[in-house]
Amino acid sequence: MQLYISPSLRHISVFPGKGFKEFIKVKVGSRRVSYRVLFYSLLFFTFILRFAFVFTAVDTIDRDQSKCSSIGCLGKRLRPSIFGRRLDSNVPEVIYRILEEPIGKDELKGRSDVPQTLEDFMAEIKKTKPDAKTFAVKLREMVTLLEQRTRTAKIQEYLYRHVASSSIPKQLHCLALNLANEHSTNAAARLQLPSAELIPALVDSSYFHFVLASDNVLATSVVATSLVRNSLHPQKVVLHIITDRKTYSPMQAWFSLHPLSPAIIEVKALHHFDWFSKGKVPVLEAMEKDQRVRSQFRGGSSAIVANNTEKPQVIAAKLQALSPKYNSMMNHIRIHLPELFPSLNKVVFLDDDIVIQTDLSPLWDVDMNGKVNGAVETCRGEDKFVMSKQFRSYLNFSHPLISNSFNPNECAWAYGMNIFDLEAWRKTNISLAYHYWLEQNLKSDLSLWQLGTLPPGLIAFHGHVHIIGPFWHMLGLGYQENTSLADAESAGVIHFNGRAKPWLEIAFPQLRPLWAKYVNFTDKFIKSCHIRASS
């Protein structure tokens, strides 16, 4: 073969030759071979050799039927490549086909030949040098086994967190018992809250009125302390604490013995409100029915965890639905604020798992534009895990009652730190709508939304929400471990919503100090119950 390259390097001609020597003979238009010609000649042959190398490597991997020597494979690959051979290999197709085949849930049970780790897998592959099909089978088995183990571990984690968050820690139980005993034996622990001369401030709208409903003494004390300590006008702060009958004595004892002067603290139990004794309270009736229906249609934690078809996130949501707080009146009390405080025009409602880090008096200057509920929206923000909640995140849009009434893409908002214009509220049917939808959910076998007070709240306050800036309410500190300390410190109010409450041992250690700084660990009641700064 003869290869002719023109002097301009624009034309290359190939002529038949008589042997190997003729194959490598190069003729050029000029008798003198320049360095430029030599360079392009070497570049051409390098290009040919690269193809030879690639085809040889592919043949080594894709050896499903026959074996060949390196030279034989080179010839086999090189010949069809010149005559238009397709350059793709069937290795990916083999792997994809095997990986897409489903594996039965019991197929890997008792198997000892499945690699347990990536290190085991690589050692076996290097030792046996399997073909593509065997390689894919082993890879599929190993990944499936690890997925099954990960799912089991994740579900166990959710179950343990459910148990930890649903139970009353012995330290909190100890604190409540000690304070109840103090209430019965120490007159100083039974002081009237507030004192008689401060009672007029309870109905004076010129003060900054905050409402907190809780049966957790320690959590309530942190909210109250952080509120007063960060207030620029503590003498104008009135905190209305609402609790249940069993927690009233410990709560009163704590704030009698730990006053937050000059702020004004009121402690009342639900049975102290005349409104609750005047007749039937719709939300109490709904709660009783809800409990009966839930016991009929919801299994216990064992039944939920035993489900092998649902994703771990779904199982976690169902476990959370079993939380006792969903049966607590403390969780529903906010819907009755206009009736509980008939003399007030505006209040800020606080959950007991928040920490206040700034002065909240500017909230009274927020122009609500005729809206009832001032809240932080939760559908946009830098934290896509926490701030990505729309109506579809809470409501069941596969149910016609929901899909015909609401937009799934509408932005959700947060409970935890809310401004309520009670004067505007009394002109609406928000409370009636709340109770109506609770009844509809009961009639639908609890299928309209996830359990909790936010879903019916989203419905009842629909069209009555004024969005405030995210500075006023940072969410997710009870389930978003990736929240940085610097970001949390920059927020006005931080919310430990989620299972990892800061008073539990499952709290995130890097975030717990933001809460613990408002606990006096040298206090005799705190020390006697072994409540420590770090869990």
Side-chain angles (χ1 to χ4, degrees), residues 283-301:
V283 74
L284 291 177
E285 294 180 334
M287 285 173 58
E288 292 174 1
K289 294 178 182 178
D290 177 87
Q291 188 172 6
R292 290 197 299 269
V293 174
R294 186 187 295 115
S295 64
Q296 180 180 354
F297 290 96
R298 303 272 181 179
S301 58

Side-chain angles (χ1 to χ4, degrees), residues 41-261:
S41 300
L42 291 174
L43 186 63
F44 176 77
F45 283 109
T46 302
F47 181 75
I48 294 296
L49 290 175
R50 285 171 64 88
F51 270 99
F53 172 78
V54 170
F55 289 136
T56 305
V58 170
D59 184 82
T60 303
I61 298 174
D62 188 20
R63 43 180 182 162
D64 50 348
Q65 297 294 334
S66 60
K67 297 182 179 180
C68 60
S69 65
S70 299
I71 298 178
C73 291
L74 174 60
K76 183 177 70 173
R77 296 296 180 185
L78 184 59
R79 178 176 52 81
S81 69
I82 296 177
F83 294 98
R85 180 188 181 276
R86 291 178 60 193
L87 300 181
D88 57 339
S89 167
N90 67 343
V91 172
E93 285 75 10
V94 170
I95 294 178
Y96 294 154
R97 187 173 63 252
I98 297 297
L99 293 180
E100 288 173 354
E101 292 178 2
I103 293 183
K105 63 179 182 179
D106 298 326
E107 188 174 330
L108 299 179
K109 271 190 176 179
R111 292 272 301 275
S112 59
D113 59 327
V114 180
Q116 305 293 304
T117 64
L118 179 61
E119 184 179 358
D120 294 341
F121 175 77
M122 291 305 300
E124 183 174 341
I125 292 300
K126 290 178 179 179
K127 180 180 179 181
T128 60
K129 296 182 172 58
D131 56 33
K133 182 178 179 180
T134 306
F135 174 88
V137 169
K138 284 291 182 183
L139 179 63
R140 183 189 61 165
E141 290 176 345
M142 183 192 72
V143 171
T144 303
L145 179 64
L146 295 179
E147 281 184 343
Q148 291 176 354
R149 289 182 173 179
T150 300
R151 181 184 184 277
T152 301
K154 202 69 179 175
I155 291 173
Q156 288 297 319
E157 176 193 354
Y158 289 142
L159 177 60
Y160 296 151
R161 285 185 174 272
H162 164 69
V163 173
S165 62
S166 300
S167 306
I168 301 176
K170 62 182 181 180
Q171 292 91 341
L172 298 188
H173 185 61
C174 166
L175 180 63
L177 289 178
N178 287 355
L179 289 170
N181 180 66
E182 192 75 12
H183 185 271
S184 64
T185 58
N186 184 358
R190 298 191 299 271
L191 296 177
Q192 179 182 346
L193 295 175
S195 57
E197 66 273 14
L198 296 176
I199 288 180
L202 299 179
V203 294
D204 189 341
S205 292
S206 66
Y207 284 78
F208 304 128
H209 292 268
F210 298 87
V211 179
L212 190 158
S214 175
D215 57 0
N216 185 329
V217 176
L218 183 61
T220 301
S221 72
V222 168
V223 177
T225 303
S226 65
L227 169 65
V228 176
R229 189 179 297 179
N230 290 290
S231 176
L232 297 179
H233 311 283
Q235 71 280 3
K236 300 290 290 184
V237 170
V238 178
L239 177 60
H240 305 266
I241 299 173
I242 305 174
T243 189
D244 55 18
R245 188 186 295 267
K246 67 178 176 59
T247 315
Y248 172 71
S249 296
M251 194 76 76
Q252 185 188 29
W254 177 267
F255 285 99
S256 295
L257 299 173
H258 303 83
L260 293 172
S261 300

Side-chain angles (χ1 to χ4, degrees), residues 450-498:
Q450 299 177 16
L451 291 180
T453 56
L454 181 55
L458 293 174
I459 294 176
F461 287 100
H462 188 242
H464 298 283
V465 178
H466 174 74
I467 301 302
I468 59 178
F471 166 78
W472 295 109
H473 191 182
M474 183 180 190
L475 297 148
L477 275 70
Y479 66 89
Q480 171 59 300
E481 188 175 8
N482 295 328
T483 302
S484 70
L485 184 62
D487 288 342
E489 288 178 331
S490 66
V493 176
I494 54 176
H495 193 173
F496 289 85
N497 58 314

